[in-house]
Amino acid sequence: MASALPAQAVAEGLRLFVRVQPKASRAGLEGVREGADGRVRLIVKVRAAPDKGAANSELCALTAKMLNVPKSTVSVVAGSTQREKTLLIRSSGSNQLLDAVTALLHDPRP
């Protein structure tokens, strides 16, 4: 697998690339995976069904909790109806967020 992070610093904060598994028995980070396109993504399980944005809402809340940021700063900016999504975490400290993603990969929290 590539050693790249599933994240990219941008002017608004941090883009986080994820693959979501809805309707899971438990929510949480499952690890990382490199897709066919070569992009590394976090694998995140959520309990909610992909109905009326419920899975996206749970994904944003879970991501905020894992990265210790306010829920209001996390939004889905691409792939809202697909399993592979791009999240935007709005922040002026994108380097701190990159460090948090790196730490999360080494020590996943529920």
Side-chain angles (χ1 to χ4, degrees):
M1 183 189 314
S3 62
L5 283 176
Q8 175 185 39
V10 293
E12 302 92 353
L14 187 77
R15 287 186 192 264
L16 189 63
F17 307 106
V18 299
R19 179 167 175 88
V20 179
Q21 180 182 341
K23 300 190 322 187
S25 60
R26 68 170 188 84
L29 178 64
E30 284 297 307
V32 294
R33 183 175 85 177
E34 186 175 344
D37 60 359
R39 174 164 279 161
V40 176
R41 291 182 173 83
L42 287 177
I43 307 299
V44 181
K45 290 184 175 185
V46 295
R47 290 183 175 169
D51 184 40
K52 299 178 184 169
N56 287 343
S57 294
E58 185 179 342
L59 172 64
C60 290
L62 183 61
T63 301
K65 182 178 178 181
M66 289 188 299
L67 295 177
N68 198 27
V69 296
K71 284 190 271 189
S72 62
T73 64
V74 182
S75 60
V76 177
V77 293
S80 63
T81 61
Q82 300 173 358
R83 287 182 184 241
E84 293 185 349
K85 303 177 186 295
T86 302
L87 302 180
L88 177 64
I89 298 119
R90 296 185 192 284
S91 173
S92 58
S94 59
N95 286 335
Q96 292 171 329
L97 286 173
L98 278 172
D99 291 343
V101 170
T102 302
L104 185 62
L105 293 176
H106 294 295
D107 183 26
R109 292 168 269 171

